[in-house]
Amino acid sequence: NAGVTQTPKFRVLKTGQSMTLLCAQDMNHEYMYWYRQDPGMGLRLIHYSVGEGTTAKGEVPDGYNVSRLKKQNFLLGLESAAPSQTSVYFCASSQGQPYGYTFGSGTRLTVV
Amino acid sequence: AQSVTQLGSHVSVSEGALVLLRCNYSSSVPPYLFWYVQYPNQGLQLLLKYTTGATLVKGINGFEAEFKKSETSFHLTKPSAHMSDAAEYFCAVSRSYGNNRLAFGKGNQVVVIP
C-alpha cells in the first residue's frame, strides 16, 4: 500500500551515540515533516522540507539534523543522543494545501 | 501564526453516549481545519477536514465536525460511542494560503466506558 514508511520502529541508544531515522514516501509528495510526540506535549515539529534539497527548522530543532537528498526520503539524524530525546518520532508527508498530512507509524526511541 | 486549543486532555464517555471533543482555533486568514485520530502504537490518521463549502463535514467511523467561524470552533462529535473509538484525537489548523504548516492541538485521550 502507498504511504509513509519509517525505519526502524524501535531503537535503544546510549547517551552520546548517533543514529539516523529514515522516512520514505511513495506518493510523490513535495512536503515532508519530522515530529516528536511526548506525553502531554502533543506533536512538536522538529524539521521540515518543502521539496527535494530543502530543509527548514521547526519548533524544536536543537540536537537534530535532517537531509532531503531525494524527493522520496527524509532523514532525521541525532549526532549525540541525550535522554531528553527519548520520544516517539513521526514522519509525515503532504502534497500541499488542502490535503493535510499522511503519517508514518512512528519510531519509538529510548536514550539511556 | 495559527494555533489550536483542545481542552481536557482525557475525556471519558460511556459506550453508546455522545462523543464531543472541542477545538478552538486562532488564525489570521481563512483556515483549513482537520481532525486526526491516533490508535495505540500507531500513527495519526485523517478523520475529516474542512476546507471550503459546507460547514458540516462528515468523516470516517461516524464522526462529524462543524466549522463555526463566529465561534472560531471546529468541534468533533459522534452520536454513539463505540469501544473501538478509544484513541487519541488531535485537532489541527493550517492557513488557506501560504505555507503548508499544520498547527496541532495537544490532543484528547478518549476512554470509552462499557
Side-chain angles (χ1 to χ4, degrees), chain B residues 28-101:
Chain B
S28 58
V29 300
Y32 293 146
L33 294 157
F34 304 82
W35 276 99
Y36 285 85
V37 60
Q38 183 182 28
Y39 298 104
N41 301 313
Q42 295 187 25
L44 280 71
Q45 303 173 35
L46 182 65
L47 258 184
L48 50 78
K49 66 181 179 185
Y50 167 79
T51 55
T52 59
T55 56
L56 181 64
V57 293
K58 297 184 184 300
I60 61 172
N61 301 336
F63 284 92
E64 62 182 36
E66 187 171 12
F67 169 58
K68 292 187 176 181
K69 183 179 178 181
S70 61
E71 299 178 8
T72 60
S73 70
F74 191 56
H75 302 332
L76 181 71
T77 60
K78 181 175 180 178
S80 177
H82 192 272
M83 295 300 293
S84 60
D85 295 326
E88 190 156 20
Y89 294 80
F90 292 93
C91 183
V93 63
S94 72
R95 297 159 58 101
S96 56
Y97 59 87
N99 67 50
N100 192 41
R101 296 269 297 272

